[in-house]
């Protein structure tokens, strides 16, 4: 059984190194967390001094990350294909160095993330990350007693190997904050795809928070029946005012109807689909400068609603 | 692109097209009366203030508390200090007096042994805060990371060279300024949101930022320190150094006049629609509305039955300059499209908030005091959005700063400036219907 456990570590470490390689190559870090060329992270565009953690953070640059990822990939493949002790010694040294780096980052810049799995490791370096690095180092030390290459390990007994490997994977998954980030990315990707294909999704961005470009609002407005009704009454094609409140963007035009100057207000929905357009007419203050009476506003609003507002 | 319009006009338009909304189940209590000005004279029984409307003599009682870098006795006020006074519920005597108070909130740009340089946000510039050893220890109790990139929120007192930190205003978030936990994209927006309300600004005369370039702090939300205003503010600083020289040249909101008194206006009759932030809906009188407590400033007319024999009003009789809009709030989710008023640098914040524009209405209620008022979005709360903290003034609030008030409005709603925050309930679409 001890031999199986030792050899399973080789398979585990090879898988971890290859996963880290793939993550570093495929998942970029967020822009805000990437160290800049002059050697400092920026906050609000301001370079931040890093002190002694700067050397470690340099490894977080895109180029350094690519090199590190490639080295990890080569080492992972070597563990899979070679039974040389030297490969496992190099792996043990590498994991010990990674443990030291994680400890340093936790002490000096925990909020920067460890970068162990590229852009997936952006969460704060916590005790889980440190414990995981230590366990990986322990596994690497245990693998020194193994006799087989990674690809040969299943020959020791598929059931026992799979059992030990599954237990270890569950343990390391519970210690990995990267899984939550990965799941979050998956959810966001699914949401983007759902929106792109125009399918109704329960995960739509609420209309109150949805970014609705001005061009979309104007296109919706110009396609509405309310616009067609009042288009010829508009004094100017340039709106008097445009602003947004929650689920509506308001567009105000000056219009002249029945020899009376009026303001016409369109409220265009900002929803992702089935956008509606409501409108109201407000007579301008009278010639002597007094504001229009409330009764007039109420009457004009009711009339406008009858004219062309779609069902709400 | 059209020019930005009067906020009251936008409210009128919205109400016309969407109609009025259901009233809240329980109307809030009216705001308290607040005055700001320069201390002319002080005794244990009377505080004389030079306000923009003239001299105000405010009775002090044994229950009046005075703050000047900490709780002080009735002998703390001295001539020349800038005071913000909140009257008691009856409006007869001073209840709380804050002297030379100000607040610096933002991201630390650099930290020296006795100074902090702070980025106040994209529209508020920068400030250099001095930290004396004693204050440094106090601030570090709740701000353990006085390092570049971290947020800071400190109470300060005025000094000729710039703000001097005296105590932490709130606890420092553990994350860096740009390490924000945004709400899920599909998080729903409730009609009423609870969270934290804070304040920002420097009541009274302009206060230099300490950057050495002549810039001054805005007195509250809705005011900026653009280059032109900065030069005006520099001129004002000289005139404000003498008693009675309070003058704030912060009139970025149309229809906002001068003065800094803050009074409830229950039962007021309709006046200039561009002045009142809470114009009643069609078919309603102002008294019918639950949020009839608009926030307005007192005019030069004496107030019958008021304290100080009608002399406690603050205004600017000369009509020059302007005051900070008392009903103005900084709101974290101001849209950036068109003339909505938002900027591209606003982070999403940690609370799902509806996108609003400058001029949108909010009903703001202090959950601790029960006092509320209709407020108007005046600028982006880009700094408030970076804080994901709670307020524990009365129970523990949900996370997130929902609004940033001016100091006058904050005190009028029952908040203590030295406490830094109050638990708040904000209802969207004041005067409006369901969005």
């Amino acid at each position: 059984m001890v031999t199986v456990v030792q050899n399973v570590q080789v398979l585990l470490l090879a898988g971890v190194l290859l996963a880290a390689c793939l993550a570093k190559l495929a998942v970029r870090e967020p822009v805000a967390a990437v160290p800049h060329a002059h050697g400092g992270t920026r906050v609000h565009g301001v370079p931040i001094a890093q002190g002694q953690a700067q050397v470690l953070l340099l490894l977080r640059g895109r180029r350094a990350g690519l090199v590190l990822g490639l080295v990890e990939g080569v080492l992972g493949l070597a563990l899979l294909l070679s039974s040389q002790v030297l490969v496992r010694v190099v792996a043990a040294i590498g994991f010990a160095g990674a443990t030291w780096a994680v400890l340093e980052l936790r002490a000096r810049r925990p909020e920067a993330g460890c970068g162990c799995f590229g852009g997936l490791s952006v969460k704060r370096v916590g005790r889980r990350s440190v414990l995981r690095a230590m366990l990986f180092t322990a596994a690497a030390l245990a693998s020194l007693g193994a006799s087989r290459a990674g690809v040969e390990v299943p020959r020791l007994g598929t059931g026992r190997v799979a059992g030990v490997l599954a237990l270890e994977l569950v343990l390391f998954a519970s210690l990995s904050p990267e899984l939550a980030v990965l799941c979050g990315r998956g959810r966001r990707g699914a949401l983007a795809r759902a929106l792109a294909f125009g399918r109704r999704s329960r995960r739509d961005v609420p209309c109150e928070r949805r970014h609705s470009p001005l061009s979309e609002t104007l296109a919706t407005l110009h396609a509405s029946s309310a616009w067609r009704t009042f288009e010829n009454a508009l004094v100017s094609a340039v709106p008097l005012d445009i602003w947004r409140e929650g689920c509506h963007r308001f567009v105000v035009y000056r219009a002249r109807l029945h020899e009376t100057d009026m303001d016409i207000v369109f409220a265009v929905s900002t929803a992702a689909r089935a956008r509606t357009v409501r409108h109201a007419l407000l007579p301008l203050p009278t010639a002597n400068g007094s504001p229009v009476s409330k009764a007039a506003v109420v009457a004009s609003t009711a009339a406008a609603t009858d004219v062309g507002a779609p069902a709400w | 692109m059209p020019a930005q319009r009067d906020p009251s006009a936008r409210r009128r338009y919205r109400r016309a097209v969407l109609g009025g909304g259901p009233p809240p189940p329980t109307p809030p209590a009216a705001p308290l009366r607040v005055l700001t000005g320069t201390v002319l004279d002080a005794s244990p029984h009377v505080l004389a203030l030079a306000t923009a409307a003239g001299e105000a003599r405010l009775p002090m009682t044994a229950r009046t508390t005075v703050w000047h870098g900490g709780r002080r006795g009735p002998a703390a006020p001295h001539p020349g200090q800038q005071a913000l006074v909140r009257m008691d519920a009856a409006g007869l005597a001073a209840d709380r007096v804050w002297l030379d108070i100000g607040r610096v909130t933002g991201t630390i740009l650099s930290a020296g042994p006795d100074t902090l340089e702070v980025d106040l946000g994209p529209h508020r510039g920068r400030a250099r805060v001095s930290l004396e050893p004693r204050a440094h220890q106090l601030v570090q109790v709740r701000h353990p990371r006085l390092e570049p990139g971290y947020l800071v929120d400190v109470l300060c007192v005025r000094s000729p060279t710039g703000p001097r930190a005296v105590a932490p205003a709130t606890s420092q978030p553990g994350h860096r300024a740009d390490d924000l936990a945004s709400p899920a994209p599909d998080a729903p927006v409730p009609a009423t949101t609870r969270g934290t309300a804070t304040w920002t600004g420097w009541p009274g005369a302009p206060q230099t930022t300490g950057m050495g370039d002549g810039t001054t702090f805005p007195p509250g939300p809705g005011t900026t320190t653009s280059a032109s205003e900065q030069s005006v503010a520099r001129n004002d600083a000289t005139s404000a150094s003498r008693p009675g020289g309070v003058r704030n040249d912060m009139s970025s909101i149309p229809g906002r006049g001068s003065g800094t008194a803050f009074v409830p206006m229950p039962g007021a009759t309709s006046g200039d629609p561009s002045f009142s932030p809470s114009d009643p809906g069609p078919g309603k009188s102002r008294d019918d509305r639950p949020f009839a407590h608009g926030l307005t400033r007192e005019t030069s007319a004496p107030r019958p039955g008021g304290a100080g024999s009608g002399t406690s009003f603050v205004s600017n009789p000369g009509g020059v300059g302007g005051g900070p809009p008392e009903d103005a709030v900084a709101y974290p989710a101001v849209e950036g499209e068109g003339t909505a008023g938002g900027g591209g640098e606003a982070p999403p914040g940690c609370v799902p908030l509806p996108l609003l524009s400058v001029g949108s209405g909010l009903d703001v209620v202090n959950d601790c005091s029960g006092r509320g008022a209709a407020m108007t979005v005046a600028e982006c709360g880009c700094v408030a959005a970076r804080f994901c903290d709670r307020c524990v003034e009365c129970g523990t609030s949900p996370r997130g700063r929902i609004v940033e008030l001016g100091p006058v409005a904050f005190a009028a709603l029952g908040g203590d400036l030295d406490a830094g925050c109050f638990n708040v309930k904000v209802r969207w679409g004041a005067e409006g219907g369901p969005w």
Side-chain angles (χ1 to χ4, degrees):
Chain A
M1 188 65 188
V2 173
T3 306
V4 171
V5 171
Q6 285 178 327
N7 282 281
V8 165
Q9 306 315 313
V10 177
L11 200 55
L12 173 77
L13 295 176
V16 168
L17 287 169
L18 289 173
C21 165
L22 282 177
K24 284 191 173 74
L25 296 181
V27 185
R28 281 176 175 270
E29 289 194 53
V31 174
V34 176
H36 287 252
H38 63 271
T41 300
R42 284 173 174 263
V43 174
H44 288 189
V46 179
I48 304 301
Q50 304 299 341
Q52 295 180 25
Q54 187 169 344
V55 176
L56 292 174
L57 289 169
L58 281 177
L59 295 176
R60 303 283 301 279
R62 180 65 181 154
R63 195 172 299 174
L66 287 176
V67 172
L68 198 58
L70 288 174
V71 170
E72 287 172 339
V74 169
L75 194 56
L77 283 175
L79 282 172
L80 271 183
L81 303 174
S82 169
S83 59
Q84 289 290 323
V85 179
L86 181 62
V87 176
R88 294 194 288 275
V89 169
V90 171
I93 293 172
F95 276 104
T99 304
W100 169 81
V102 171
L103 281 168
E104 280 293 301
L105 282 172
R106 174 164 165 74
R108 300 184 187 281
R109 282 290 309 279
E111 69 285 344
C114 72
C116 311
F117 289 87
L120 297 177
S121 303
V122 291
K123 286 204 170 181
R124 186 182 179 87
V125 181
R127 279 179 294 189
R128 284 199 308 167
S129 301
V130 174
L131 181 59
R132 184 182 63 179
M134 287 177 169
L135 288 177
F136 276 138
T137 306
L141 291 175
S143 73
L144 293 176
S147 56
R148 295 171 183 259
V151 291
E152 298 170 350
V153 172
R155 293 180 192 169
L156 293 172
T158 310
R160 286 186 300 174
V161 168
V164 174
L165 194 59
L167 276 177
E168 290 192 333
L169 285 176
V170 168
L171 172 65
F172 283 111
S174 67
L175 295 174
S176 298
E178 290 83 0
L179 282 180
V181 177
L182 195 61
C183 293
R185 282 177 177 243
R187 277 200 302 270
R188 283 195 293 274
L191 173 65
R193 283 193 296 276
L195 291 176
F197 286 107
R199 291 178 303 198
R200 182 167 292 277
S201 165
R202 283 182 300 173
R203 294 192 174 277
D204 273 352
V205 178
C207 56
E208 294 95 337
R209 300 173 55 213
R210 179 177 173 270
H211 171 69
S212 171
L214 206 53
S215 55
E216 177 188 280
T217 298
L218 293 176
T220 305
L221 174 62
H222 294 160
S224 68
S225 60
W227 175 261
R228 287 192 293 274
T229 303
F230 295 103
E231 184 179 11
N232 292 330
L234 300 184
V235 172
S236 169
V238 179
L240 293 175
D241 197 7
I242 302 176
W243 77 101
R244 162 89 180 261
E245 292 192 21
C247 281
H248 292 93
R249 179 170 281 125
F250 298 86
V251 189
V252 183
Y253 289 92
R254 179 63 44 83
R256 186 165 180 82
L257 278 170
H258 311 300
E259 304 301 318
T260 307
D261 284 333
M262 294 186 170
D263 281 345
I264 181 165
V265 190
F266 295 100
V268 184
S269 166
T270 57
R273 61 183 63 84
R275 285 186 288 275
T276 56
V277 178
R278 305 180 86 187
H279 65 277
L281 291 165
L282 285 87
L284 294 181
T286 55
N288 60 9
S290 63
V292 66
S293 70
K294 287 170 185 167
V297 174
V298 173
S300 64
T301 304
T305 306
D306 289 342
V307 169
W312 183 246
Chain B
M1 190 56 61
Q4 188 173 300
R5 294 286 297 266
D6 182 357
S8 66
R10 288 183 169 180
R11 281 192 293 272
R12 199 166 60 245
Y13 288 139
R14 174 166 54 77
R15 193 171 54 243
V17 73
L18 295 183
T26 52
L32 294 164
R33 185 169 175 235
V34 174
L35 299 94
T36 61
T38 308
V39 176
L40 288 178
D41 191 16
S43 72
H45 304 294
V46 175
L47 178 67
L49 280 188
T51 69
E55 184 179 326
R57 299 182 69 78
L58 309 174
M60 306 261 282
T61 67
R63 290 163 59 177
T64 304
T65 59
V66 180
W67 185 97
H68 184 241
R71 288 292 170 96
R72 300 284 184 263
H78 289 93
Q81 290 174 326
Q82 297 298 314
L84 187 149
V85 182
R86 187 175 70 204
M87 308 299 284
D88 59 16
L92 299 176
D95 180 39
R96 296 271 197 281
V97 180
W98 290 277
L99 298 169
D100 284 343
I101 193 170
R103 183 169 180 165
V104 172
T105 307
T107 307
I108 300 174
L109 295 175
S110 65
D114 55 358
T115 59
L116 289 177
E117 191 174 324
V118 181
D119 176 13
L120 305 175
H123 51 290
R124 292 182 188 161
R126 296 181 176 190
R128 185 171 290 129
V129 184
S130 67
L131 268 175
E132 293 172 355
R134 166 73 178 150
H136 199 285
Q137 291 175 352
L138 281 174
V139 169
Q140 276 211 310
V141 171
R142 296 174 75 184
H143 285 66
R145 287 184 175 271
L146 293 179
E147 301 169 15
Y150 282 88
L151 293 161
V152 68
D153 190 3
V154 288
L155 294 173
C156 301
V157 293
R158 291 168 180 271
S159 84
T161 55
R164 183 163 58 84
V166 290
T170 55
S171 293
Q172 185 182 39
H175 56 81
R176 290 170 68 86
D178 55 353
D179 186 13
L180 295 169
S182 302
D186 57 341
V189 179
T192 300
T193 294
R194 283 186 156 84
T196 301
T198 58
W199 63 277
T200 183
W202 290 74
Q207 163 66 36
T208 176
T209 59
M211 296 300 294
D213 55 0
T215 53
T216 57
F217 286 99
T223 55
T224 58
T225 50
S226 65
S228 59
E229 284 175 331
Q230 284 167 12
S231 63
V232 174
R234 279 196 293 274
N235 295 335
D236 287 350
T238 55
S239 65
S241 60
R242 31 177 216 279
V246 179
R247 177 181 157 193
N248 301 312
D249 210 294
M250 306 293 176
S251 52
S252 63
I253 300 295
R256 302 297 164 204
S258 59
T260 50
F262 185 98
V263 294
M265 40 184 280
T269 54
S270 61
D272 176 6
S274 69
F275 182 77
S276 166
S278 52
D279 194 21
K284 290 181 177 180
S285 72
R286 189 181 300 274
D287 288 345
D288 295 336
R289 295 176 49 255
F291 278 82
H293 316 304
L295 307 182
T296 183
R297 60 191 64 77
E298 296 184 14
T299 62
S300 56
R303 198 170 81 146
S309 304
T311 57
S312 57
F313 301 107
V314 183
S315 69
N316 192 342
V320 289
E326 282 79 22
D327 66 328
V329 299
Y331 178 69
V334 178
E335 198 195 39
E337 286 268 340
T339 56
E345 296 185 51
C350 66
V351 184
L353 301 174
L355 289 167
L356 300 179
S357 300
V358 167
S360 300
L362 303 172
D363 287 339
V364 179
V365 179
N366 181 343
D367 263 349
C368 304
S369 70
R371 300 185 184 279
M375 311 289 278
T376 302
V377 175
E379 69 177 33
C380 169
C382 301
V383 176
R386 296 188 182 278
F387 285 83
C388 199
D389 52 1
R390 303 176 191 269
C391 188
V392 291
E393 274 300 282
C394 53
T396 304
S397 77
R399 284 190 183 278
R401 295 190 178 184
I402 313 295
V403 287
E404 229 178 5
L405 308 172
V408 176
F410 187 88
L413 293 184
D416 288 338
L417 297 183
D418 51 307
C421 66
F422 60 69
N423 302 29
V424 73
K425 176 172 62 185
V426 175
R427 180 171 169 263
W428 319 113
E431 306 172 332
W435 294 352

